[in-house]
Structures are given as structure tokens and as C-alpha cells.
Amino acid sequence: MGEPAQTPFKTTGSEWLLPVSEYLGFPLDQVNFLACQLFALTAAFCFRLYLSPAHVSPLARHFVAALLGIGFLVFCFGWYSSHILAVVVANYLIIIKADLNSVHRYSMVISMGYLTACQAGRAFIFNYGILSTDFSGPLMIVTQKLTTLAFQLHDGMCKKTEQLTQEQKLMAINVRPSLIEYLSYNLNFLSVLVGPCSNYKEYIDFIEGRHISTRLKQHNLLSLQNAVCHKLLVCAGCMLFFLTVTRALPIKYNVDPDFVSQASFLTRLTYAFFSIQAARPKFYFAWTLADAVNNAAGYGFLGMDEHGKPSWDLISNLNIIGIETATSFKTFIDNWNIRTGIWLKTVCYDRAPKHCLALTFILSALWHGVYPGYYFTFLTAIPITIAARAIRRSIRHYFLGSRVMKLGYDILTWAATQLAICYTVMPFLLLAVDHTIVYYRSMYFHVHIISILAAVALHPQCQHVHSNNNDKD
């Protein structure tokens, strides 16, 4: 008997675009996602022009933003969208009924627990090792928003000012949000599918018309249009790159038995490097398009940059130039999935009494899902981060004496960083244990070994240098 027919175009959401999916050869869930994002881009312009704070009340803006967002969820995921709505409603009941002294803990346990349960179901229900656009993506974004709001509400209503950091003071919430404000913040069409996660106070300022100061309004239209056009051009370039280069360098070829057994170590290392580089544009595309949607609605104004020009990168999720030119592991992380990094810092790193680095990486792995590859990636990142800090503090100052030596140091650290990132994130894309072990064996676990040896060897020296040097990573 022949193998059963494949159904790559099946989805739990709407099937209106099935003919388009079949014509293009793309999975229907991805076509639905892209259609919603393009519709959101158009809706964002209309939202800014016809539903501006000058024309309608904040209540109307909240209602439209939430209604469109819920519509996107139902269109893309059908009845599976009820999982997202359920956890949002459950958390609203927590913030209005629970003790405010514990509201952040309840929210974290409920949100992360429900997310993990759904992701575990995804791993068993869907084909193991295959990523697709499913409801767990929006659920991950909602989890960030729910927990961020809960922690900031706890800061504003239960902590004294002197107990808060400067960032926590700025974002602390002093009043429980109404139901429509809560739904709008968590489910608005600007970010419901792919994010980014923004702070509650900043979102409310945007809805109520306080997001941009009055003296800058006359310059905003042109700068906003330029920002949106620039980001759409980046999306077009990333899509073109994905359709040409990315498809020609599949990640799974890194663990192909013939390739692993026959290719030299240098060949395998080179292919791994370029296949990881080629995998990035699909993330660049999704995050940049989401950023453009928010900007089109008038949300995302950061202020004036160092050149005196308006910047629309308040809620940008990545800095492509910063990623591609990163000369340290930390710099790469700081420029990749920026809003998730801020969320991890907000709810974990800044609040953990000890072992904050390890706990932050573990929370990040848990948030991403239950696939073993995620845990390989984030646990591997711990010794690499520690080693990178130790190496930087121990030797960097020796290369600052001349421009030539500094340039050589930057080139060397760029190459080391990109190779370390390649090694670290490969399991994130391979997902399965067996594929991950095959890959790491083919690489002889060299980054693990080098990182651990460097961290151990340089630890005493690092402490001595750090005690006499105020330069921080």
C-alpha cells in the first residue's frame, strides 16, 4: 500500500484562502497569517487616520482594536483561539479578585502553566519536530503581556517607591485596568499574532493620544511614513532572501547521515554557519512586518535619536545591523527578539534573588515550548555567556591601545560570536533530541568544551580584573 496523502494545507482556522495556498504551495496557516498581517497594515493606517484620539473616544479605539484582534485569532485558528481568550479572561479575574500582594505570582503560574500545557499538547498532536504557525505563537505573546501587566500592577500598588528600580517606577501601574482596557492591551490587532509585547502604560498612552508630544506632531507624519516604508522594504528583501537562499540551505542537512559521515569538519562547520545565517530572514520578516503595522497605527515612537531625527523603534523586536555585526554573545542577544529579552529582564532577571542568569535562560526555554531542542539551546547558552564575560573582562583591555589592534579584536570576536551563536541555536531549529546529539557529535562538542574550560581557567583572573576595572559587559 502507498503512503497516506499529505495534507500540508489543513488548518483549524478559515479555509477561505485555500485556493491561494494551493496555488502558491505554502501551508494554509501561513497564508492566513500573512493575509491577516497585510490586512492589519491597512487597518492600522485607517485606525490612525479615522479613529485618532482627536476624532473618537479611547473607549471606541479600545473596542475596535480588541474586536479586530479577536477576529484575527478566530480567522487563523478557529476554535483553538478559545485557549487564548480563556487565559486572558482567567488572568483578568486574578487581577480583580486576588490579593494584589500575590497577583504577579498567580499570573505567572497560571499563564506559564497553561502555555506549557498547550505546547505539550502541540508536541504530541502535531508532527514532532515540525514548526508551523499555530495558536501557541499568539499564546506566547499573550503570556508575556499578562505577566508583565501583573508584575507592573504589583509594583504600583504594593511596593514602595524606594523598592523599585528606575524602569519599574516608570512602568508601575497604580489602578486596575477596566475589562475593555485589559482586552485591548492583550488582544489588539496590532500585536495579537506575532507581538511585540509592549508595556501597558505605553499602550494606554497610545490609545489615549499621549504617545507623542504635541511639539513633535507636525514632523510625525513624514517620519512615520518613512519608518513604515523602510520596514516594508526590509520585509520584501527578507521574503526574497527566504524564497531563494534559505530554501537552498535547509537546516536538516546538518544532520544528514551522508553529509555528517563524508564531509570534513571544516565543511560541516561552514555549512552550519551559512544555514543558520540563512534561517534568520524569516524571523526578520515576521518581526519587522509586525513593527511596521504598529508604526502605521502611530504606535512605536521612541523619541529623537542622536542625530536629532524621530525614531520609531520603541517596540522593535530586533536590530538587524546589531545582530549581523555583534562582537559578543550578549550584544547578539540584546539585539535579537528584543521585547522578549525585556520581558525576561522585567519578570525574572531583575527580580530573582540569586542565580538570575540561569533562571532567566530556563524561563526562556520554558516559554518557547517543550521541544528538547529549546532546552539544549538555552542550557548551552549559560556556560557560553559566562565564558564570554570572563574572556572579555580578562583580555579586552589589552587590545584597546591602538585602532589596528581594536579592529583585529573586533573581527576575531565577531567570528567567534557568530560561530558560537550558530552552535547554540542549531538545536532550537532541529528540535529533536536525536538530531541535536547527531549535530553536537559532528561538531565534537567543541563549543561546550571551550566554554567550560575558559570559564574555569579565567574565573580567578576575571575576579581580579573585575575588582580593578569598572567596565561592565
Side-chain angles (χ1 to χ4, degrees), residues 197-216:
C197 172
S198 60
N199 291 302
Y200 176 78
K201 288 183 71 173
E202 291 173 342
Y203 178 76
I204 295 299
D205 285 346
F206 156 68
I207 289 292
E208 296 182 356
R210 298 188 300 271
H211 183 55
I212 304 170
S213 60
T214 303
R215 64 185 176 85
L216 293 175

Side-chain angles (χ1 to χ4, degrees), residues 6 18 58 82 129 165-166 186 200 209 271 340 370 379 418 427-428:
Q6 297 294 315
L18 181 59
S82 61
T165 66
Q166 188 60 36
N186 286 293
Y200 176 78
Y271 183 84
T340 294
V370 298
L379 292 177
Q418 297 300 326
F428 190 96

Side-chain angles (χ1 to χ4, degrees), residues 136-151:
S136 67
L139 187 58
M140 292 164 71
I141 300 299
V142 163
T143 297
Q144 288 187 0
K145 291 183 177 182
L146 294 171
T147 52
T148 296
L149 190 153
F151 273 90

Side-chain angles (χ1 to χ4, degrees), residues 352-369:
K354 54 185 178 180
H355 308 303
C356 53
L357 179 65
L359 289 174
T360 301
F361 277 125
I362 291 172
L363 175 60
S364 182
L366 187 64
W367 176 77
H368 278 91

Side-chain angles (χ1 to χ4, degrees), residues 215-439:
R215 64 185 176 85
L216 293 175
K217 283 185 178 178
Q218 57 183 333
H219 304 293
N220 280 332
L221 181 59
L222 182 60
S223 69
L224 181 151
Q225 292 173 342
N226 289 339
V228 173
C229 289
H230 171 74
K231 290 170 183 178
L232 291 179
L233 286 175
V234 171
C235 289
C238 291
M239 177 61 75
L240 180 62
F241 190 95
F242 173 78
L243 294 175
T244 55
V245 179
T246 303
R247 287 188 163 187
L249 296 170
I251 289 293
K252 287 293 180 67
Y253 191 64
N254 285 283
V255 293
D256 180 81
D258 294 334
F259 178 68
V260 171
S261 62
Q262 297 176 15
S264 66
F265 173 75
L266 185 59
T267 300
R268 297 196 302 271
L269 185 66
T270 301
Y271 183 84
F273 174 80
F274 283 107
S275 63
I276 288 292
Q277 297 292 114
R280 293 176 189 169
K282 64 182 179 182
F283 297 99
Y284 293 170
F285 173 83
W287 288 335
T288 304
L289 180 56
D291 197 13
V293 169
N294 280 274
N295 290 170
Y299 188 31
F301 183 69
L302 178 61
M304 309 304 285
D305 63 18
E306 63 273 15
H307 303 295
K309 297 180 180 180
S311 171
W312 287 86
D313 294 331
L314 176 68
I315 53 176
S316 293
N317 224 357
L318 78 164
N319 177 352
I320 296 177
I321 295 177
I323 290 169
E324 299 297 341
T325 62
T327 58
S328 72
F329 202 77
K330 180 181 183 298
T331 302
F332 186 99
I333 293 174
D334 288 345
N335 288 284
W336 175 270
N337 206 353
I338 297 171
R339 299 306 305 183
T340 294
I342 292 173
W343 171 70
L344 291 167
K345 183 176 183 294
T346 299
V347 303
C348 184
Y349 190 88
D350 287 344
R351 301 176 191 270
K354 54 185 178 180
H355 308 303
C356 53
L357 179 65
L359 289 174
T360 301
F361 277 125
I362 291 172
L363 175 60
S364 182
L366 187 64
W367 176 77
H368 278 91
V370 298
Y371 288 112
Y374 299 152
Y375 295 86
F376 276 105
T377 287
F378 290 107
L379 292 177
T380 298
I382 295 174
I384 293 177
T385 302
I386 295 172
R389 287 176 176 176
I391 293 172
R392 176 182 173 86
R393 291 172 179 170
S394 299
I395 70 172
R396 182 175 181 270
H397 55 283
Y398 293 118
F399 293 86
L400 302 180
S402 71
R403 298 175 66 177
V404 174
M405 292 186 67
K406 178 62 166 60
L407 178 61
Y409 174 83
D410 288 341
I411 293 173
L412 181 62
T413 53
W414 172 84
T417 297
Q418 297 300 326
L419 288 172
I421 289 294
C422 166
Y423 181 92
T424 305
V425 304
M426 187 65 76
F428 190 96
L429 300 176
L430 294 173
L431 299 177
V433 174
D434 53 346
H435 288 161
T436 298
I437 297 301
V438 168
Y439 171 73

Side-chain angles (χ1 to χ4, degrees), residues 57-79:
S57 67
L59 180 62
R61 282 167 61 84
H62 279 305
F63 180 79
V64 172
L67 187 63
L68 282 175
I70 294 172
F72 285 176
L73 291 176
V74 174
F75 182 84
C76 286
F77 311 113
W79 73 270

Side-chain angles (χ1 to χ4, degrees), residues 16-17 27 41 44-45 47-48 50 59 81 157 194 223 227 254 290 298 304 314 382 397 428 438 450 454:
W16 290 352
L17 299 178
L41 183 65
F45 281 112
F47 192 78
R48 176 173 57 83
Y50 304 111
L59 180 62
S81 58
M157 301 190 70
V194 70
S223 69
N254 285 283
M304 309 304 285
L314 176 68
I382 295 174
H397 55 283
F428 190 96
V438 168
I450 294 171

